[in-house]
Amino acid sequence: MSKVRVVVAGPRGKMGSEALRMIEKQDDLELVACLDHKYDGQKISDFEELPKFDATIYNDIEKCFQSVEADVLVDLTTPEFGYLHTKTAIHYGVRPVVGTTGFTEEQLQELTDLSEEKGVGVIIAPNFALGAVLMMQFAKWAAKYFPDVEIIEKHHDNKLDAPSGTAIKTAALIKEVRESKQQGHPDEKETISGARGADVNGMRIHSMRLPGLVAHQEVVFGSSGENLTIKHDSFHRESFMTGVKLAIDNVMKLDILVYGLENILE
């Protein structure tokens, strides 16, 4: 069986380095190159804290794809670079698996159209933790019966986007089964702007950013005399790697863009 040839963007980051360790453990994956804004031409093995791969680091994504044969790009960078990397990979026929969040609806639509035009599979996942994906699905199910709901997401203080992609995706899934509903007292007033959180279709999303957190979310439903809380915690970035591997395996079978890991779960 031939190995899937992988390029990782952001190899020195916390998620990217974890992806390298995951690839190191897999017999059916091969790291062929990495993308980084620094250290052009150096090897991953030059960095003591990273696995001893002989893969070369490239600053320029086009030079990377012109220099190596790649099947999949795993992008774990930032929205700005993730969008450009994904778009370029599609043009080169390399299938992106993207864990970067913060894309706009217009960017997602453009990538969806480009993926379909080129027949190149793409998976963009707001969260690669399987428990988080199940949490979102359970929340969608519960929202049919509990339309009063608020989302509380908590992440490390270096996260750039708020709300998180997982919170936005959760709200979108709930919106599919819940009619728009303004929650709280009709005459409530924020004495400090933003105190009630972001308003999405009448739902509220609250974002916390603190050192020591990784990725956590609660979806809290309220009804007469009872509450239901669906909660997921990622305590280590290793929790995302099962989903990354699942996405790599599945993106090789796709010729369209899939948004959300739940769409490839059986």
Side-chain angles (χ1 to χ4, degrees):
M1 181 179 67
S2 60
K3 293 187 177 184
V4 176
R5 298 164 295 188
V6 181
V7 174
V8 172
R12 294 180 300 113
K14 291 179 180 178
M15 280 286 285
S17 60
E18 203 62 50
L20 296 186
R21 295 183 190 99
M22 181 274 292
I23 292 169
E24 186 180 36
K25 297 173 185 175
Q26 303 298 322
D27 293 333
D28 58 343
L29 301 181
E30 178 187 2
L31 183 74
V32 294
C34 286
L35 290 169
D36 197 310
H37 66 283
K38 292 183 177 180
Y39 306 110
D40 187 48
Q42 290 190 232
K43 303 287 187 180
I44 290 296
S45 56
D46 293 337
F47 298 85
E48 289 186 6
E49 68 275 16
L50 298 178
K52 299 306 175 187
F53 287 112
D54 197 37
T56 300
I57 296 172
Y58 294 86
N59 293 163
D60 186 316
I61 187 170
E62 297 215 27
K63 181 181 177 183
C64 175
F65 290 148
Q66 290 165 4
S67 302
V68 302
E69 291 287 334
D71 301 305
V72 173
L73 167 70
V74 174
D75 189 280
L76 304 163
T77 58
T78 64
E80 178 186 359
F81 288 106
Y83 166 69
L84 294 173
H85 290 166
T86 302
K87 191 173 178 180
T88 305
I90 295 171
H91 278 295
Y92 275 88
V94 177
R95 292 170 167 82
V97 167
V98 185
T100 305
T101 62
F103 291 151
T104 65
E105 290 186 11
E106 292 77 15
Q107 288 174 330
L108 286 172
Q109 188 59 57
E110 182 183 358
L111 294 173
T112 298
D113 293 343
L114 184 60
S115 169
E116 187 173 348
E117 175 192 336
K118 300 291 186 181
V120 175
V122 181
I123 294 176
I124 298 177
N127 199 315
F128 279 115
L130 296 186
V133 175
L134 292 172
M135 175 261 298
M136 288 186 271
Q137 292 301 302
F138 296 157
K140 179 180 178 180
W141 187 27
K144 294 179 182 179
Y145 308 99
F146 293 84
D148 288 276
V149 54
E150 303 210 2
I151 298 168
I152 305 165
E153 58 95 350
K154 311 170 189 178
H155 283 79
H156 56 89
D157 57 340
N158 287 319
K159 186 170 177 59
L160 297 176
D161 55 317
S164 67
T166 300
I168 293 170
K169 178 68 173 177
T170 304
L173 289 170
I174 291 173
K175 187 177 176 182
E176 292 177 13
V177 299
R178 171 189 178 274
E179 292 185 10
S180 180
K181 180 179 191 237
Q182 200 62 41
Q183 298 177 176
H185 195 284
D187 296 325
E188 78 174 8
K189 179 182 178 181
E190 290 183 331
T191 55
I192 298 177
S193 180
R196 288 287 290 118
D199 188 331
V200 180
N201 209 46
M203 291 176 273
R204 296 291 181 166
I205 301 179
H206 309 270
S207 297
M208 291 175 56
R209 299 290 178 266
L210 289 170
L213 296 172
V214 177
H216 316 263
Q217 181 168 295
E218 299 177 34
V219 188
V220 184
F221 298 90
S223 187
S224 179
E226 63 178 325
N227 289 131
L228 170 66
T229 299
I230 301 172
K231 184 172 183 283
H232 177 263
D233 297 285
S234 282
F235 299 108
H236 192 281
R237 287 167 180 83
E238 186 180 5
S239 66
F240 304 116
M241 293 305 117
T242 303
V244 172
K245 178 60 166 66
L246 181 67
I248 292 172
D249 292 343
N250 279 268
V251 80
M252 296 298 295
K253 309 168 190 174
L254 297 174
D255 56 6
I256 59 171
L257 185 147
V258 170
Y259 182 68
L261 206 62
E262 71 278 3
N263 294 301
I264 61 171
L265 294 178
E266 296 181 359

